[in-house]
Amino acid sequence: MVAEKAPGAGAEPDGPGAGLAERATVGRPDNFPSVLVWFRYGVLRNARGVLTAFIAAWLYVPAALASAAILAVGAGGVAFVYSGVQGERTLPQEVRDVPLLGDAMENLLLRSSGVQAALVGVLVGALLGFVVGLIWVFIGPFQDGVLDGLATVLGSVVLGVVVGLLYTVYRVVFERRILAVTGARRLSRREVAYLMPLVAEAAQRLGLANHPPVLIDDSREPNAYAYTRHLVINQGLLEEFNYEREPIAAVLAHELVHWRNGDPLSAVFVRGIALPLYLVQAGGGWLHARARNSVLRFLVWLAFWPVFLTVRYVVVPMQAADSRQAEYRADEGAVLAGHRAGMRRVLARFRRSFEGGRNGWVAAICASHPPNELRLERLEEPGRDYPLPDEDAPALPLPVLLTDSPYVG
């Protein structure tokens, strides 16, 4: 059984003798024997995301991308001009002497008017530029000696890990204040009477030793979030289902599984490891959004594009891959808590809102949630038919009659 908590509260420190770490992390899952074990489990959960974030941020991948782009353009231009001057003589004599292949390459080169050579130059320049960009920072220290070079690389590794850990500690310890600044508040008496029995029941069914404090965000967007030591429920979610217990209980169970599994802690650590990139991206994004004309926006993009591309197409996809699996696990947890029907109602109702408005790449690779239809498929009860359209899906809008006349009927 889950012990009774104060209204809206989660776990309490273990009395006056509780250590500083325990008092600073009230609300963490008690199924971990200590704060250190909880941290270790959380930061190592998504090894792929952590490794990718570290390489991108601390081995200077944006600099490598910029170097690749510069050398690709330069090598492509040189190859185009050189092939236009030399013609078929651009090919080495050994290639031209190869039967059939030599003649074919000469004809292709002449017909392409240097385009073929330019493409080869771009590819070679991009590859060399990327490699040079990755090792350029470490060339100087290695010139002073192997030990100096290794010390520089090791220093980057240690610095990246330390920054990630410090950021994680900051987010965990000051989470309540951060959430308050972003709009989360304590529960009212009526909200406590409605929500806390649902939270306690879900925790009991999931076999949890405790549950985190619950906060309310007055946003009308229907959503809920699990943080490292808190659950935040949007007012819009309660209103969307008119305070029906089953769908709300399903969402609470889903978020409790995220909290129990350390998913929020893992996500925070990945952001901490990639903190330099995210800070530069945030600054560039702020400037780009406030640029008053297209020329300024282009200049901002030109200055920050390596960071934008690294975060969007390298860091985020690797983190999102683990996040999608975490969503499946949380859905299964809601089923184990006895809320299969409620979870299906929620997913059917919001099948477009969670990951809507995205292009194909983001929806497939960067989306933190898997497609709702696939989540619904995993929640199907064996032996039961689930035809389309789903009975819990939102109603289609009524058709509008268009006419040239100002009067209808």
Side-chain angles (χ1 to χ4, degrees):
M1 294 290 292
V2 177
E4 291 294 328
K5 311 288 193 303
E12 295 294 334
D14 297 330
L20 177 62
E22 294 293 338
R23 292 196 300 271
T25 59
V26 175
R28 69 172 180 85
D30 280 350
N31 51 285
F32 296 98
S34 68
V35 175
L36 181 61
V37 173
W38 175 52
F39 258 76
R40 184 178 62 194
Y41 180 83
V43 300
L44 296 179
R45 268 187 53 81
N46 185 5
R48 175 173 50 184
V50 169
L51 182 61
T52 303
F54 172 80
I55 292 174
W58 299 96
L59 296 186
Y60 311 101
V61 168
L65 287 177
S67 174
I70 294 172
L71 284 188
V73 173
V78 170
F80 181 82
V81 173
Y82 181 76
S83 64
V85 174
Q86 297 294 322
E88 72 277 4
R89 289 177 294 171
T90 305
L91 292 171
Q93 184 63 43
E94 293 80 2
V95 176
R96 285 183 293 179
D97 291 340
V98 176
L100 297 179
L101 177 62
D103 292 336
M105 292 295 292
E106 286 182 5
N107 290 331
L108 178 62
L109 189 61
L110 290 173
R111 291 176 180 273
S112 64
S113 301
V115 173
Q116 185 76 14
L119 290 176
V120 173
V122 167
L123 292 177
V124 173
L127 180 60
L128 291 177
F130 189 80
V131 173
V132 170
L134 282 180
I135 66 176
W136 182 260
V137 177
F138 303 106
I139 288 179
F142 273 101
Q143 288 178 342
D144 297 331
V146 176
L147 291 180
D148 289 340
L150 292 177
T152 301
V153 175
L154 181 61
S156 294
V157 173
V158 172
L159 182 60
V161 173
V162 169
V163 169
L165 289 175
L166 289 177
Y167 178 79
T168 304
V169 170
Y170 157 73
R171 292 289 306 192
V172 170
V173 173
F174 294 99
E175 183 172 89
R176 183 63 175 261
R177 295 184 180 181
I178 295 171
L179 292 176
V181 170
T182 57
R185 60 170 175 80
R186 69 172 181 84
L187 276 62
S188 69
R189 178 186 56 79
R190 294 189 302 169
E191 289 166 340
V192 168
Y194 171 73
L195 284 173
M196 296 316 296
L198 298 180
V199 175
E201 181 182 10
Q204 178 184 354
R205 291 186 179 186
L206 292 169
L208 302 181
N210 68 323
H211 62 75
V214 181
L215 304 174
I216 289 288
D217 190 315
D218 289 315
S219 168
R220 262 39 187 184
E221 178 187 359
N223 220 327
Y225 306 92
Y227 292 89
T228 62
R229 301 192 295 120
H230 298 83
L231 297 187
V232 177
I233 311 298
N234 281 13
Q235 186 70 32
L237 181 68
L238 305 178
E239 295 174 349
E240 180 70 27
F241 290 98
N242 197 26
Y243 291 85
E244 291 184 57
R245 293 175 59 86
E246 176 58 22
I248 302 302
V251 171
L252 291 172
H254 176 99
E255 300 303 332
L256 280 173
V257 174
H258 279 311
W259 169 78
R260 155 63 179 82
N261 288 345
D263 296 331
L265 189 61
S266 174
V268 167
F269 183 66
V270 173
R271 289 199 300 271
I273 287 288
L275 187 61
L277 290 182
Y278 282 119
L279 290 177
V280 176
Q281 183 202 35
W286 184 85
L287 292 173
H288 189 269
R290 283 156 181 78
R292 296 186 177 182
N293 57 63
S294 57
V295 175
L296 286 177
R297 285 194 293 272
F298 173 75
L299 292 177
V300 171
W301 182 87
L302 194 62
F304 290 94
W305 73 265
V307 174
F308 291 160
L309 266 61
T310 301
V311 172
R312 184 177 181 85
Y313 297 107
V314 178
V315 178
V316 172
M318 290 297 101
Q319 184 179 5
D322 181 77
S323 297
R324 291 193 292 272
Q325 294 304 313
E327 290 302 321
Y328 285 129
R329 291 191 292 266
D331 290 343
E332 293 171 2
V335 173
L336 292 176
H339 298 298
R340 184 193 302 270
M343 200 69 239
R344 284 190 58 86
R345 285 192 60 189
V346 173
L347 293 177
R349 179 75 63 88
F350 301 122
R351 62 174 58 222
R352 291 184 179 180
S353 65
F354 288 145
E355 300 295 340
R358 299 175 180 269
N359 59 40
W361 169 266
V362 178
I365 305 299
C366 300
S368 60
H369 291 58
N372 275 22
E373 182 62 27
L374 299 184
R375 296 171 67 182
L376 285 166
E377 181 180 68
R378 290 203 178 193
L379 294 177
E380 291 179 356
E381 188 176 358
R384 181 177 172 183
D385 189 26
Y386 293 88
L388 288 174
D390 196 287
E391 61 181 7
D392 296 312
L396 294 175
L398 293 175
V400 178
L401 178 64
L402 299 179
T403 177
D404 294 331
S405 172
Y407 303 100
V408 178

